[in-house]
Amino acid sequence: MLKSSSTLPRLAWRNLWRHRRRTLLLMLVVAYATLTIVLFWGINDGFIQSILYGNARYLGAPVLITTPAYFQDPDPEQGLPSLGFLSQVEAQPGVRAAAPRLEFPGLVRSAYTAEAVRVRGVEPALEARVSHIPSAIAQGRMLEKPGEVVLGQQLAERLDVRLGERVVLDTSALAGPQALGLQVVGLVRSGVAPVDRGAVLVHLGDARRLTGLATATAVALDVPRGQESRLAQALNLELPPGLRAYDLSQLLGGLAEALQTRQGSVFLIGLLFSLFAALAVTSTVLVSVLERTREFGIMEAIGMSPQRLAQMVTLETVLATALGWGAGLVLGYALNYWMAVQNVLGPVFASYGAAWEILGTGSEIYTAQSPWYALFAAITIVLAALFSILIPARRVLALNPAEAMRTE
């Protein structure tokens, strides 16, 4: 019976529940390690996505539609030839809002000094749907009509202007040099340096008047977090010739590359989690082997070979580890899902104040979900099985049945 190939798995399974406390402890160790690994990767990837998503909403947009020529050389002359595609874009599943923008270089002048800036012409009612800047206005309000301007707080300080005062905006337009007087109605304090130092928001009508462009330079889209790349690819199949949708990784190329570069070191940390968990499993199995020395001696005495006994110990380890892995995955993915839909981490990290704001995530940080996390956690099972073969199983192979049966 002990030599039957089908008997060994059944025997290993029964042994797990004959030593219930030890098995549950082993499962708990693996479940905790798996839970930790899933959360570790979910928080890490979610943190990176939150940084990119937050910065995109301050500096650009999650997805931006423009011409390739404007993307390479942001000159209003290379802006959108028409906005007739807007209804088609808004009907695309996943697109929650579309806001035309007209960006152009300019010179903003106060009574005391002048600053070269990049101006963003917006539709006030739509801009809050695709940008965090309207929600970061610390003084005053968002612009509502032509003739108003919102400035970054540090830019306003350099210009020495306050709410209610006027500035003049100069630019070189298609029809020649243009100038327009505007009233300051809001000051932005976001914690993102490029925004606070240089943000200039004007009404889209004023931007068209200054530049002579009747359309816009781009259309910013509000899309679900994590769906930017997929939706940009889908839109590129539907957009008219000469237009292209760019996702946040393309819009924030340098930042995206820097964040992805650090993933190598993060993977090593995740591997260490698996290594420590596997060592904990191995130590638990080794203690089990020491406690069951007499039992193993009897099993060898009645005919089970040392090799099959070692295989049984390894199989017991793999079964208990797999059960713990499954339980840890259920808990880990459940917690990840909860933190992916509820802003649990945002208030925690926001408590670090200005040092945290500079990352541009705003007050929202969510976890990510990926089937890869289950594979990363499965490394624990592989390592645990390998260590069991190298340590506890080898000890079983070295047992002397006569001496083992005398062990108390």
Side-chain angles (χ1 to χ4, degrees), residues 89-126:
V89 169
E90 291 171 334
Q92 178 75 24
V95 175
R96 299 183 295 202
R101 289 176 175 170
L102 204 170
E103 297 192 2
F104 59 95
L107 185 73
V108 59
R109 294 186 284 120
S110 68
Y112 310 100
T113 187
E115 291 276 345
V117 294
R118 185 156 191 85
V119 185
R120 177 181 293 176
V122 302
E123 285 281 7
L126 295 175

Side-chain angles (χ1 to χ4, degrees), residues 208-249:
R208 287 170 172 168
R209 175 182 170 185
L210 283 166
T211 62
L213 182 64
T215 56
T217 54
V219 172
L221 304 183
D222 174 35
V223 302
R225 185 176 54 88
Q227 299 296 313
E228 300 87 1
S229 178
R230 182 187 66 81
L231 283 173
Q233 292 175 7
L235 286 167
N236 284 330
L237 299 175
E238 305 291 336
L239 287 172
L243 299 183
R244 183 172 177 80
Y246 296 89
D247 63 37
L248 52 78
S249 64

Side-chain angles (χ1 to χ4, degrees), residues 340-368:
V341 297
Q342 299 290 333
N343 186 27
V344 178
L345 298 176
V348 175
F349 287 109
S351 64
Y352 288 93
W356 182 256
E357 289 179 358
I358 197 170
L359 292 176
T361 60
S363 59
E364 297 184 359
I365 300 175
Y366 298 93
T367 55

Side-chain angles (χ1 to χ4, degrees), residues 9 28 63 78-79 123 169 216 293 312 318 334 355:
L28 182 62
V63 176
Q78 301 175 140
E123 285 281 7
L169 190 58
T293 300
M312 185 189 72
V318 172

Side-chain angles (χ1 to χ4, degrees), residues 81-95:
S82 167
L83 292 176
F85 64 91
L86 268 179
S87 59
Q88 179 184 1
V89 169
E90 291 171 334
Q92 178 75 24
V95 175

